[in-house]
Amino acid sequence: ALLVILLMNQDNVQRQFQPRVCPVCGGRSTQLLYHQRFAQLSEGSLHDGYDVVACDHCGGCYADNIPGQAVFDRYYREMSKYEQPATDGKINTYDLKRFQDTVEKIVPTLQKGNPHILEIGCATGALLGLLKHTGQQNILGLDPSPACCRIADTTYGVPTRCGTLSDNLIPDGSVDYLILIGVLEYLRDLTAAVQKLRATLAPGGRIFITMPDASQYAAGDDAPFQEF
């Protein structure tokens, strides 16, 4: 009986989160597809689960029953998985190859001259470090983790600002090229995020975005719907 009461209490806590509107069309009517549950750690847990839902209007699928963005921002500021103090922020062979492939895609699309490049969610700065080696000097990283920002500076010589997309003080119209590698899927309010990105771009600016491929979830190593 005690277990049942505890589970009911957890469910009640989850239902206190403000429901999300569909990030694609703004619809409010959804169908539950899957309930993701997480084991709770003694410290550092973000929340105990969430719902994967499908919008009744457009069919868009997204995570619902999740905390507000401020909770996520605090989590990534204090619990970033990229800090890796034991390795001084140096990346493994797999990530190095992935970043090298990404740089090969980015460089041909950069504007001529010395464009101001900003990577949002730069983690330890490895990608910007590779871009720096191609001759790009006007680079800046933004990440919520102070530890990641320190590693980006000491390991890769990449200047950073500590903050999030929502609270940073990057002037509007000041960035020629924005990079977001696996970032947008971690934001609760995509509409506000896209508006902020658009405001940050200079006239003629460009954005390079990568996100998980929803058609490949079954082939991945993560838990079901982990990318939500």
Side-chain angles (χ1 to χ4, degrees):
L2 178 59
L3 177 60
V4 172
I5 292 173
L6 288 174
L7 291 175
M8 290 175 61
N9 287 338
Q10 287 180 346
D11 288 341
N12 287 336
V13 169
Q14 281 201 308
R15 281 194 288 269
Q16 291 176 5
F17 295 137
Q18 289 293 323
R20 295 179 71 191
V21 299
C22 174
V24 178
C25 72
R28 295 179 179 275
S29 176
T30 61
Q31 177 183 355
L32 176 66
L33 299 181
Y34 183 80
H35 183 65
Q36 176 72 59
R37 298 300 297 266
F38 298 125
Q40 291 295 287
L41 305 176
S42 58
E43 61 178 350
S45 292
L46 181 58
H47 55 116
D48 63 1
Y50 55 84
D51 296 333
V52 179
V53 299
C55 174
D56 287 336
H57 181 259
C58 74
C61 299
Y62 59 95
D64 203 359
N65 280 334
I66 60 174
Q69 189 61 47
V71 176
F72 285 98
D73 291 346
R74 183 172 64 251
Y75 176 81
Y76 292 117
R77 181 173 65 248
E78 299 173 357
M79 300 293 295
S80 172
K81 67 180 181 181
Y82 296 104
E83 295 173 11
Q84 303 175 17
T87 60
D88 295 325
K90 295 180 180 178
I91 58 176
N92 57 46
T93 302
Y94 171 80
D95 285 334
L96 177 61
K97 179 64 166 61
R98 180 167 60 91
F99 286 149
Q100 288 171 336
D101 291 344
T102 301
V103 168
E104 289 180 1
K105 293 180 175 67
I106 288 176
V107 169
T109 67
L110 291 171
Q111 300 94 325
K112 294 182 179 179
N114 190 27
H116 180 196
I117 302 170
L118 171 65
E119 183 184 6
I120 296 175
C122 67
T124 56
L127 177 70
L128 289 176
L130 291 173
L131 271 175
K132 187 177 179 181
H133 282 300
T134 69
Q136 300 298 324
Q137 297 298 319
N138 195 8
I139 58 176
L140 181 66
L142 178 72
D143 198 88
S145 166
C148 281
C149 290
R150 288 193 297 270
I151 293 171
D153 179 35
T154 58
T155 304
Y156 301 103
V158 169
T160 60
R161 292 188 183 180
C162 188
T164 66
L165 178 61
S166 57
D167 67 12
N168 79 84
L169 300 179
I170 305 297
D172 287 352
S174 66
V175 178
D176 299 306
Y177 202 98
L178 277 169
I179 300 173
L180 295 93
I181 306 295
V183 170
L184 289 185
E185 67 269 25
Y186 291 99
L187 302 179
R188 179 185 171 104
D189 189 343
L190 287 178
T191 299
V194 171
Q195 290 173 345
K196 179 65 175 177
L197 295 173
R198 186 169 186 169
T200 302
L201 278 180
R206 296 176 177 179
I207 306 180
F208 183 92
I209 295 172
T210 70
M211 296 180 66
D213 183 354
S215 70
Q216 297 298 315
Y217 285 146
D221 294 329
D222 280 332
F225 304 108
Q226 184 71 24
E227 297 291 359
F228 282 82

